[in-house]
Amino acid sequence: MTRAARLRRGHRALAGAGDDVDLRVLSDVVQRPLPGAPACLLVVSPEREGCDLVEWGRAHAEALRQVLRERPAMLFRGFRVGGVEAFERFAEAIQPTLAEYQERSTPRTEVSGKVYTSTEYPANETIPQHNEMSYASAWPMKLFFHCVQPSPEGGATPIADSREVYELLSPRLRERFAEKRVMYVRNYGTGVDLPWQKVFQTEDRAQVDAYCQRVGIQVEWLGGNRMRTRSVRPAVMQHPETKETVWFNQAHLFHVSNLGPKMSAAMRMVFKEQDLPRNSLYGDGTPISDAELEEVREAYRKTTFAFPWQAGDVMMLDNMLVTHGRTPFSGARRVVVAMGEMRTENNS
């Protein structure tokens, strides 16, 4: 039986009566049913009203880390959070050293210490499923989300199981990506994407060169204020704790086809292939076809689960086992993010 089939069986079993998770290691909480939830997601709520999430989290930090290995997506609903700074203290209770957002690929704003806004893309855009910073030299193992204000319509943060995505892909495609890896190409200074100063958090080209050399990014300074980078990263990884194989890359998101047929065609008319603001290739520099990445996107479509945020919700993810995204929304929405336990390919 494939991993995907086992997960689907687990999904069905979880939906049945009496199949709650053993929460003896997590006192004072109950499992809350969430219709259609995948096997990777555990939803818990406090037994008593007004339970403080920070205090409860500190008392159960080790147990939560243990449960996260079994249920790599955990939604805490109905707790008293106490705002963004309290959310940060909860995240620090589980992961004492939170991380700064480096090698940036999307616009975000720091709101409190190591807490950032979620990706600041226009509200009418979908953010595809992805493992956070899987394009980078280092990535967080743990992600924390806090819904301060849900939007009146849309704005979910859907999730998908990276193991199931991997199993749904054809063996041929999995093997090709595993062998060749992914090359991420970015061109800065085109006025379309983030400027390199924002991505690397410095105005000093020498600092950029030193950093890129240290983490394996090839740099090419072009005319004016333009810069091109290339980096080759894994496409398939083994989880360091569970030893399970996961689909772990952002090839589909960086690739020009992510913009949709009309926009990607327009970008290809404006820019030469090597000058596209961002694109992905196989690690040997050969093209990844639109059809291959459509297979990846279809696997995500089949496995993605979305639920509406409620004010005060906190979600914790194992970033290698579970992906996340964002649906379009209307009205005001505020979801903040923290991340921690940075890993690299050498210590994964």
Side-chain angles (χ1 to χ4, degrees), residues 103-140:
E103 292 185 44
R104 302 185 178 200
S105 69
T106 59
R108 292 186 182 179
T109 303
E110 184 178 313
V111 294
S112 172
K114 301 293 177 61
V115 177
Y116 297 85
T117 59
S118 55
T119 298
E120 296 170 351
Y121 276 176
N124 63 342
E125 293 186 11
T126 296
I127 299 177
Q129 290 294 303
H130 62 284
N131 304 93
E132 189 68 28
M133 297 181 68
S134 52
Y135 61 86
S137 58
W139 61 86

Side-chain angles (χ1 to χ4, degrees), residues 87-277:
F87 161 69
E88 184 176 16
R89 291 197 298 273
F90 168 75
E92 288 174 333
I94 312 304
Q95 181 56 51
T97 304
L98 298 181
E100 296 181 354
Y101 184 32
Q102 297 182 328
E103 292 185 44
R104 302 185 178 200
S105 69
T106 59
R108 292 186 182 179
T109 303
E110 184 178 313
V111 294
S112 172
K114 301 293 177 61
V115 177
Y116 297 85
T117 59
S118 55
T119 298
E120 296 170 351
Y121 276 176
N124 63 342
E125 293 186 11
T126 296
I127 299 177
Q129 290 294 303
H130 62 284
N131 304 93
E132 189 68 28
M133 297 181 68
S134 52
Y135 61 86
S137 58
W139 61 86
M141 288 294 294
K142 292 186 178 68
L143 295 181
F144 302 86
F145 298 83
H146 173 39
C147 179
V148 180
Q149 180 180 0
S151 55
E153 183 177 357
T157 299
I159 60 173
D161 192 312
S162 301
R163 299 162 295 186
E164 191 169 356
V165 171
Y166 175 81
E167 291 289 350
L168 287 174
L169 298 173
S170 65
R172 173 179 168 275
L173 187 65
R174 294 195 314 237
E175 291 167 8
R176 177 175 293 181
F177 269 96
E179 176 186 356
K180 292 191 172 188
R181 300 157 65 93
V182 179
M183 177 186 291
Y184 299 97
V185 183
R186 298 181 69 175
N187 281 280
Y188 306 93
T190 63
V192 176
D193 210 336
L194 293 176
W196 60 264
Q197 296 91 335
K198 188 74 172 179
V199 171
F200 296 101
Q201 295 290 286
T202 181
E203 301 275 344
D204 189 335
R205 294 190 180 195
Q207 288 186 21
V208 174
D209 286 336
Y211 176 84
C212 290
Q213 183 176 14
R214 187 169 67 251
V215 301
I217 299 176
Q218 180 184 345
V219 178
E220 183 180 359
W221 292 102
L222 306 173
N225 202 32
R226 295 177 59 236
M227 166 192 176
R228 179 181 298 138
T229 61
R230 298 182 180 90
S231 57
V232 178
R233 305 299 183 203
V236 175
M237 294 284 288
Q238 185 182 70
H239 191 278
E241 294 179 351
T242 70
K243 307 305 178 185
E244 294 167 295
T245 302
V246 297
W247 186 252
F248 189 72
N249 64 80
Q250 290 192 25
H252 67 296
L253 200 153
F254 270 72
H255 196 265
V256 64
S257 63
N258 181 57
L259 299 172
K262 291 184 179 180
M263 182 60 72
S264 61
M267 293 291 282
R268 282 167 162 151
M269 289 183 64
V270 173
F271 296 99
K272 296 179 180 178
E273 196 77 10
Q274 69 269 23
D275 294 329
L276 287 165

Side-chain angles (χ1 to χ4, degrees), residues 260-331:
K262 291 184 179 180
M263 182 60 72
S264 61
M267 293 291 282
R268 282 167 162 151
M269 289 183 64
V270 173
F271 296 99
K272 296 179 180 178
E273 196 77 10
Q274 69 269 23
D275 294 329
L276 287 165
R278 65 170 70 183
N279 200 14
S280 62
L281 309 168
Y282 282 115
D284 61 3
T286 56
I288 306 172
S289 71
D290 293 8
E292 288 172 314
L293 291 175
E294 181 55 29
E295 181 180 341
V296 174
R297 295 186 181 103
E298 179 61 20
Y300 278 121
R301 283 192 285 268
K302 289 180 177 179
T303 56
T304 295
F305 172 74
F307 62 91
W309 282 116
Q310 293 182 11
D313 279 352
V314 170
M315 182 166 65
M316 177 169 63
L317 301 181
D318 181 311
N319 182 45
M320 288 192 72
L321 296 180
V322 178
T323 66
H324 67 281
R326 192 203 70 188
T327 64
F329 64 94
S330 62

